[in-house]
Amino acid sequence: MNTEKWIEKSDKYIMKTYGRYPIVPVRGKGCKLWDVDGKEYLDFLGGVAVNNLGHCHSNVVKAIQEQATTLIHCSNYYQIPQQIELAELLCSLSFADKAFFCNSGAEANEAAIKLARKYSRDKTGKSDRYGIITATDSFHGRTLATVSATGQEKIQRFFDPLLHGFTHVAFDDVAAIEAAITDDTCAVMLEPIQGEGGVNVPSPGYLAGVRELCNKYGLLLILDEVQVGMGRTGKLFAYEHFGITPDIITLAKALAGGVPIGAMLATDDVATAFSPGTHGSTFGGNPLATAAALAAVRTIVEEGILNSAEEMGEYLVGELETLHKKYPVIIKEVRGIGLMIGMALTIPGGDIVKAGHERGVLLNTTHDTVLRFVPPLIVSKQEVNEMIRILDGILKEITV
């Protein structure tokens, strides 16, 4: 079937939870996708920061193929070697001592919320110690708890009553967090760099200041690295840029190279709050997903992917800054770290995204007026140059 026929069938059978573009991808390799009609696209959305190793990386494909022939799923009532190895690897690469596995970023954040509340109550003996401070323009997921944690009204509307206990304050404002702390507060939950909120990078001292506040008031610091983790910023974890360590971190998206997985990592002390029966996941950490994740993480760490993300991020920012100077009426700012980059516009970016699709480049907007660039970390200079050439042509037409 062609694109038109697939869209017709989708409209008939799929719920309208996405504003889908008229593109039907059927094949991917590296930084490129091909649709059902054979059209080629440069993918600068990367599955929304999922395909950090590009599409169908050989190491991940091999791990999936080999694991699928031996054991795809078994219950978490049993010990799973691939899960144990992945937990060991992630803990050895981070501040953490223990891991919990699930299937998505929202589930990882749910686990973090539950762990923080239970730990605080166990530690203090106070049943009302449940409040969590989050930031405006944040995004933590689509479940009811993570929607409540998210600081965007457009995500929350229609779902009242929201889960009680979340306070939203301005991002990049340490004083606002301190002012929001009450006797009920147990944790602060932040994205080190806000993704869906517009690729917002905090001031250099912000997270260090928040860490000091958490230490001062006995609060847990939860960092949501679902989008920015796994090398996206040029370091394996974004918190490494800011000279701090959290108490809990959440991961998903790029963790298994495209296979659904989520993880919540914590220190030994905090992890003790979970015991058998307090939390779980049927599919979380199954052999297939964790085998894929082992291959993905090892590839990122061992094959120079972090250096590539840093170098190509600097190059891409430089090229986007050149466009900024060329089109100052349209472009307000270029910001980001590594290959987590946003271009703030003076106009809505939807038409630019559509024009990019027509010319073979996949982009998207976040917060309506910010073009987001999250290509695979293996993107080449040639591919960046081609995307810039196409984007330059689009912007030129807008200014005419």
Side-chain angles (χ1 to χ4, degrees), residues 286-300:
N286 71 50
L288 186 70
T290 48
L294 277 168
V297 176
R298 286 169 177 161
T299 301
I300 290 171

Side-chain angles (χ1 to χ4, degrees), residues 187-203:
V188 177
M189 183 175 188
L190 300 168
E191 298 159 276
I193 301 167
Q194 291 187 328
E196 302 304 318
V199 191
N200 301 316
V201 181
S203 304

Side-chain angles (χ1 to χ4, degrees), residues 2 15 24 46 59 82 101 120 150 155 164 181 203 205 264 320-321 347:
N2 61 15
M15 291 189 187
V24 185
N59 293 352
Q82 298 80 7
F101 294 106
S120 186
T150 292
I155 304 295
H164 181 64
I181 295 171
S203 304
M264 187 264 293
L320 293 173
E321 287 288 8
I347 59 174

